[in-house]
Amino acid sequence: MIDLVTLGESMALFTARRTGLLRHARDFGLGVGGAESNLAIGVSRMGRRAAWIGRVGADEFGELLRSTLAGEGVDVRGMIVDPEAPTGLMVKSRRTAELVDVRYYRSGSAGSRLCPDDLDLPTLRSARVLHVTGITLAISASAAETVRAAVAEARAAGVTVSLDVNYRRALWSPAEASAALRDVVASADVLFATEAEGRLLAEGDDPVCLAKSLSALGPRHVLVKRGPLGAVELSDGVVRHAEPYRVTELDPVGAGDAFAAGWLAETLEEADPERRLATACAAGAFAVTSEGDWESLPRRQDLTLLSPTDAVSR
């Protein structure tokens, strides 16, 4: 039985090993990245069964994605190998020690060709949670149609729908994102957003007011991620605040995916709300402690290693 199903595009990730202009880089690490697959790995590491649906090319990068996700315990039976399009690419570099730059090469990629016929409907209908992101809504018309079809199927089957806004300005404008996201938000049970992302959809001078405005759009659970300031959760009318964990940040990419994975994994465990939110913050903190989008995501036994009083705040 699959606990959580997610869908989207994952890509091969090249990471420059030296800080500075990308044109001067000569050595790169090779890995994989993608918001939805990051989350699936995070949920799997926390002991729940996660499945990822998406397209990859009939190339070595596609095989890298398959073997990496499968090796992390993610169900990849819904992975489709597209012989007519390549696996997308990401290139990550550091312009300075503090500034991470990520470039995407996904136009015409296999992942962008995701369509409703790709959905594994029996698995989706029997899952407990469907998780989608604004990224998949933005990469192509067919991918957006797939998200809407998956959400409709999940709602009809009584499956909890989780949405992470995950706004990417390289993919669409704020106005385009707001218009496309509103229908999905109205059908979502759980909404994850940073303060800036939340204000694409609603107004609020502070995170609590913003969470209430977002909740009025439909979701029962609204999580406002505040980075080094922690997080605010509004669930069934009850507001909870979470303090940040204090860690040394090495790579901020993937923190939001880890936060969502921790919260959803604890929801699947039927944990109490305080533990659910604390685990989300701990998972987000772990995600920034090493290079890579998902490599430092925690397993359940790791959660005792962090203390809110340690080192540098993130």
Side-chain angles (χ1 to χ4, degrees):
M1 181 69 70
I2 296 297
D3 293 306
L4 179 143
V5 174
T6 188
L7 57 99
E9 179 174 28
S10 292
M11 294 165 283
L13 170 60
F14 285 90
T15 303
R17 297 192 185 280
R18 59 165 291 170
T19 299
L21 290 169
L22 185 61
R23 74 190 71 161
H24 299 309
R26 297 295 179 268
D27 296 320
F28 292 83
L30 174 61
V32 302
E36 299 83 8
S37 57
N38 292 345
L39 180 131
I41 291 172
V43 169
S44 177
R45 285 190 174 184
M46 290 289 288
R48 308 306 307 192
R49 289 285 292 158
W52 180 84
I53 297 171
R55 284 181 176 240
V56 299
D59 49 38
E60 282 296 299
F61 297 141
E63 177 56 28
L64 173 64
L65 281 161
R66 188 206 63 76
S67 60
T68 299
L69 294 181
E72 287 292 328
V74 176
D75 189 306
V76 292
R77 287 175 294 177
M79 178 182 288
I80 295 167
V81 177
D82 188 333
E84 299 179 356
T87 303
L89 300 179
M90 301 168 60
V91 180
K92 184 161 64 175
S93 62
R94 284 187 178 273
R95 182 64 183 85
T96 69
E98 292 77 27
L99 179 61
V100 176
D101 181 64
V102 182
R103 304 282 171 166
Y104 302 94
Y105 299 87
R106 66 199 327 166
S107 178
S109 67
S112 68
R113 289 156 58 97
L114 187 70
C115 67
D117 287 344
D118 296 336
L119 293 173
D120 179 350
L121 294 180
T123 298
L124 172 56
R125 291 167 180 157
S126 64
R128 294 173 62 190
V129 176
L130 167 69
H131 180 77
V132 296
T133 78
I135 297 172
T136 313
L137 283 169
I139 58 176
S140 70
S142 67
E145 185 182 356
T146 307
V147 171
R148 297 188 184 98
V151 169
E153 290 285 349
R155 296 292 295 179
V159 176
T160 296
V161 175
S162 167
L163 168 67
D164 193 331
V165 172
N166 249 324
Y167 176 69
R168 298 290 185 269
R169 63 178 179 269
L171 294 175
W172 52 0
S173 69
E176 290 171 323
S178 177
L181 283 161
R182 280 184 173 273
D183 288 343
V184 182
V185 170
S187 297
D189 301 288
V190 184
L191 177 66
F192 298 95
T194 65
E195 290 183 73
E197 289 171 341
R199 293 190 177 99
L200 293 172
L201 301 164
E203 296 182 353
D205 294 333
D206 62 71
V208 174
C209 289
L210 179 60
K212 290 179 178 179
S213 296
L214 291 168
S215 181
L217 299 178
R220 286 181 53 204
H221 308 280
V222 174
L223 288 297
V224 179
K225 300 173 289 185
R226 307 188 68 210
L229 299 178
V232 169
E233 175 180 347
L234 175 63
S235 287
D236 297 321
V238 178
V239 175
R240 295 179 176 84
H241 297 265
E243 296 299 317
Y245 284 84
R246 302 170 69 85
V247 296
T248 300
E249 179 184 305
L250 295 180
D251 186 348
V253 178
D257 306 327
F259 179 96
W263 194 92
L264 291 170
E266 292 290 36
T267 298
L268 290 164
E269 292 282 347
E270 300 181 357
D272 63 70
E274 288 74 19
R275 175 177 148 191
R276 185 174 65 191
L277 185 56
T279 296
C281 289
F286 264 105
V288 306
T289 58
S290 71
E291 300 287 344
D293 288 17
W294 57 268
E295 283 82 349
S296 59
L297 293 176
R299 292 174 172 81
R300 188 163 293 280
Q301 62 266 29
D302 296 327
L303 297 177
T304 59
L305 299 177
L306 285 186
S307 166
T309 60
D310 289 343
V312 179
S313 177
R314 165 61 191 175

